Amino acid sequence: MHPRKSLSYPQWVKLGKIDGFTFVGRDTVAVGCGCHIIFYAVDGTSENVYIANSKQRGDGVACLAGHRTAPLFAFAEKCLHPRILVFSYPAVEGPVSVLKGGTMGSYISMAFSEVEYLVTLSGVPQSSIMVWCWRTGVQLACTDTGIGSPFQKLSCSLSSPTIICHIVRGKSTLRLWEINVCAKLCCLTSQKVKLPEKTIPVDVCFTNDGALFFVDDRGDVYQASDQSKFNTKSSEHEIFSILNSNSLLG
């Protein structure tokens, strides 16, 4: 780890286009690009840089995830047969665990649950959602999504059982996956969300009590209805709009 103002870190390096950021614990925001991850203290007091440029430190940064409450972060390498390295922060001395063998190609999204799961999404041609125990590095479940787009995103709920929200950039698609674990058996159950016509989700958010919100490409905000709790007997959720871009401007 290098302080941003340290002479050991080249000051001219810029991350370029940033597609997103993640919280690492409650007090730090992280962004990653190329072989760099920059950590910003929320109060503006510090700025640190992690460089993934070796076997021990990782071979590039393909995607990044932080834990919302614990000082942990994970990133997937940007190479063939990538590993996923999990670190504590700010004491980044060596990986807490290493996850191997998930894909030959690449990872395009990942997210921590509030418990000990890390959910990852591999890119084409595999396009699989995988559930890992990040403490042990063991893969608990893997299922094919059937979606070939490289522009996909995962988000995990804060409540239990863990619900994964899965969206595809530029597509009117939103799918929910529920994680159910019994002893050593882990199952993923999926449902599609019935969206209003021509509604394209661009980002999603879960509240502390498990409510799901998403914003579309027009700036309208939607929430999953109270009647649409996850139910394996139902094929779809229903959605209703709670706030639109016109009311924000007015």
Side-chain angles (χ1 to χ4, degrees), residues 4-244:
R4 178 70 163 178
K5 295 181 180 180
S6 169
L7 294 177
S8 61
Y9 180 76
Q11 297 300 303
W12 52 265
V13 171
K14 303 295 183 182
L15 290 183
K17 181 181 179 182
I18 302 300
D19 292 326
F21 65 90
T22 184
F23 272 89
V24 179
R26 301 180 185 276
D27 304 317
T28 305
V29 173
V31 294
C33 186
C35 62
H36 298 85
I37 303 173
I38 300 184
F39 299 88
Y40 302 92
V42 173
D43 61 7
T45 57
S46 65
E47 187 176 325
N48 295 311
V49 179
Y50 181 86
I51 305 176
N53 60 354
S54 67
K55 182 176 181 180
Q56 180 181 1
R57 300 176 63 84
D59 188 359
V61 180
C63 56
L64 171 70
H67 199 286
R68 295 181 181 92
T69 55
L72 294 167
F73 71 94
F75 69 89
E77 294 179 303
K78 201 171 187 178
C79 60
L80 292 176
H81 301 281
R83 302 172 298 166
I84 298 171
L85 285 75
V86 182
F87 290 89
S88 61
Y89 181 85
V92 186
E93 298 178 355
V96 175
S97 62
V98 179
L99 286 52
K100 301 178 181 178
T103 180
M104 295 176 58
S106 63
Y107 292 99
I108 56 178
S109 183
M110 62 174 63
F112 278 101
S113 73
E114 286 301 287
V115 286
E116 57 185 10
Y117 307 136
L118 179 67
V119 184
T120 62
L121 179 63
S122 62
V124 292
Q126 191 175 3
S127 298
S128 297
I129 285 185
M130 288 160 270
V131 180
W132 307 77
C133 176
W134 61 260
R135 296 183 185 274
T136 63
V138 174
Q139 186 183 117
L140 303 176
C142 178
T143 186
D144 186 8
T145 67
I147 301 174
S149 170
F151 306 109
Q152 304 178 56
K153 181 179 180 180
L154 300 179
S155 298
C156 281
S157 66
L158 303 174
S159 58
S160 183
T162 301
I163 305 296
I164 308 164
C165 185
H166 177 199
I167 61 174
V168 182
R169 186 187 302 174
K171 302 290 185 181
S172 184
T173 301
L174 195 154
R175 182 180 290 270
L176 301 179
W177 302 80
E178 184 179 35
I179 301 176
N180 291 292
V181 179
C182 180
K184 295 184 178 180
L185 180 64
C186 179
C187 297
L188 282 169
T189 307
S190 69
Q191 285 185 334
K192 289 184 178 180
V193 173
K194 185 178 180 180
L195 300 176
E197 187 177 359
K198 296 182 180 180
T199 298
I200 300 176
V202 295
D203 208 350
V204 299
C205 178
F206 285 98
T207 63
N208 290 338
D209 59 0
L212 170 65
F213 293 79
F214 76 86
V215 61
D216 67 8
D217 57 348
R218 298 186 297 271
D220 295 334
V221 180
Y222 296 80
Q223 180 190 11
S225 65
D226 294 337
Q227 292 77 25
S228 60
K229 301 298 183 182
F230 200 99
N231 184 351
T232 55
K233 296 182 180 180
S234 173
S235 61
E236 291 184 328
H237 279 270
E238 294 180 354
I239 292 291
F240 66 89
S241 176
I242 63 167
L243 187 66
N244 59 48

